[in-house]
Amino acid sequence: MANLAALAAARTAKVAPHDFPRARIYASAETHHSIVKAAALLGLGRESVRLLPVDDRFKVRVDDLIASITADRARGDLPFCLVANAGTVATGAVDPIAELRDIAERFGLWLHVDASYGGFATLAPQARELFNGIAEADSVALDPHKWLYLPVDCGCVFYRDAESARAAFAHTAEYTRVLDLRDDEAFAFWDYGPELSRRFRALKVWMLLKGVGTRALGEAIESNLTSARHLEALVRESDDFEMLAPVELSIFCFRYRPKTSSEVELDELNERLLVALQRDGSSYLSNAKINGRFALRGCVLNYRTTLHDMEKLLNDLRRVALAL
Ligand SMILES: *Cc1c(COP(=O)(O)O)cnc(C)c1O
């Protein structure tokens, strides 16, 4: 919903209705499918999103991005929005946001940052500089139900200029007219997003910030980042596991690798291993496809996770693998 709302504001700000068929959005191939879905819902079509190649760290290739925008312009298309990832869903990659901001400025594009998972890592000193440039984005999507440790569902979108959201969503109707209230009470959320009646999702965010504070949250996130780095180090030291992607934030993608297996056997073995691990019940992982290979994927998103849990995870995998 945050990505949809932001792209709706971008469309209203940059594209006249008769230009919808020419409108183009740019994002890396690692981008979450909610961006393509939003483009479809907004009547721009799935094909309006150019999904660009990534480098060996799964970040968008800036030269391909510029080439794609330039070629589309030459063809008569209308580039209007650039989506930067601040923590991709598969590997946690953060695109070079400051470079993308400069490109957005150069080509007059709206810069949206999908920071749903990764954005809160700006609270952790060891990750902060990855997010340079995010403050100048036109919109940023964040999921407090991810790295603020809150229960689902709670998504959030920030706008550089709130009037751009009003332009996309506000309608005047007698039943939504705000009468004679002070400014804070008169703020009408329904003028800034698609929903009218809505749950009080902001309450849990407010209570967390008041009760726990951003310093403690930053420390918890810092510790999660350290846990993921620790797992990466353990895997690199081992001779029965290997990393399939670099660790950028708290996501790690790796696989079990007994010496004599082929690629196809490894895919099949790791898939069986994942199911067995989930059934075993001690540790929990999900999965990802990394360069076509089946990866075990973990994401440290709990303030109780410790370095010891990382060791336990690998030992659980070894124990379960033996039983296979
Ligand atoms: C989780 C995620 C989403 C979707 O958010 P939901 O809260 O699951 O709807 C979008 N983009 C990224 C990068 C995500 O990690």
Side-chain angles (χ1 to χ4, degrees):
M1 290 302 276
N3 283 337
L4 173 66
L7 293 194
R11 187 192 63 174
T12 302
K14 298 282 186 187
V15 190
H18 64 267
D19 283 328
F20 284 5
R22 300 197 296 134
R24 298 289 174 261
I25 298 167
Y26 301 82
S28 89
E30 293 292 310
T31 301
H32 192 271
H33 74 266
S34 54
I35 294 292
V36 173
K37 200 168 181 177
L41 287 168
L42 290 169
L44 304 177
R46 289 170 186 270
E47 291 69 33
S48 69
V49 185
R50 302 282 192 234
L51 294 174
L52 301 156
V54 292
D55 63 17
D56 56 2
R57 297 188 59 85
F58 302 94
K59 298 165 188 260
V60 70
R61 286 181 180 276
V62 169
D63 43 354
D64 286 326
L65 168 65
I66 294 172
S68 180
I69 296 170
T70 311
D72 283 346
R73 270 195 169 179
R75 189 184 302 120
D77 289 349
L78 180 64
F80 80 99
C81 181
L82 175 54
V83 177
N85 286 298
T88 58
V89 64
T91 70
V94 180
D95 287 331
I97 301 172
E99 275 182 78
L100 299 194
R101 172 204 58 201
D102 294 346
I103 293 167
E105 201 174 287
R106 177 171 148 202
F107 291 99
L109 312 181
W110 177 286
L111 179 65
H112 173 64
V113 183
D114 184 358
S116 297
Y117 150 67
F120 295 106
T122 51
L123 293 172
Q126 66 174 288
R128 191 160 297 152
E129 71 181 40
L130 287 170
F131 300 91
N132 286 344
I134 198 171
E136 285 102 53
D138 295 293
S139 53
V140 179
L142 288 169
D143 256 349
H145 72 215
K146 288 179 177 161
W147 227 338
L148 286 189
Y149 309 107
L150 290 169
V152 287
D153 61 352
C154 189
C156 165
V157 56
F158 290 158
Y159 294 102
R160 160 156 297 284
D161 173 11
E163 283 310 305
S164 60
R166 264 186 71 81
F169 294 109
H171 284 270
T172 43
E174 188 56 27
Y175 47 81
T176 57
R177 193 153 65 88
V178 177
L179 300 173
D180 194 27
L181 293 172
R182 282 175 300 149
D183 282 354
D184 52 347
E185 291 175 48
F187 183 84
F189 277 95
W190 58 76
D191 281 343
Y192 298 85
E195 294 168 291
L196 179 50
S197 301
R198 56 211 302 286
R199 296 165 50 184
F200 193 1
R201 297 183 179 92
L203 178 62
K204 55 194 174 189
V205 180
W206 181 84
M207 288 183 71
L208 179 81
L209 295 176
K210 291 291 177 189
V212 172
T214 51
R215 178 199 283 254
L217 287 164
E219 285 166 6
I221 293 167
E222 182 82 10
S223 150
N224 292 162
L225 293 165
T226 303
S227 289
R229 294 256 140 74
H230 184 57
L231 184 285
E232 184 180 37
L234 292 173
V235 165
R236 291 200 193 284
E237 285 161 17
S238 78
D239 46 19
D240 51 352
F241 291 100
E242 69 177 354
M243 294 303 295
L244 291 181
V247 170
E248 184 121 296
L249 297 172
S250 74
I251 294 175
F252 47 87
C253 291
F254 68 116
R255 67 179 172 181
Y256 182 54
R257 171 157 215 159
K259 290 230 157 50
T260 57
S261 316
S262 71
E263 288 294 327
V264 176
E265 283 167 344
L266 283 174
D267 283 352
E268 194 259 348
L269 172 63
N270 278 276
E271 192 163 338
R272 286 200 296 136
L273 185 56
L274 176 66
V275 174
L277 182 80
Q278 291 176 348
R279 293 214 175 113
D280 176 70
S282 171
S283 296
Y284 185 89
L285 290 175
S286 67
N287 56 294
K289 264 260 155 59
I290 305 293
N291 296 323
R293 308 278 42 127
F294 185 91
L296 304 169
R297 172 187 174 279
C299 183
V300 187
L301 272 188
N302 192 305
Y303 52 86
R304 293 197 190 94
T305 303
T306 63
L307 298 187
H308 176 66
D309 292 314
M310 302 295 111
E311 287 147 32
K312 197 163 158 207
L313 166 62
L314 293 185
N315 288 332
D316 285 342
L317 282 166
R318 288 184 178 113
R319 176 171 51 75
V320 171
L322 217 57
L324 281 184

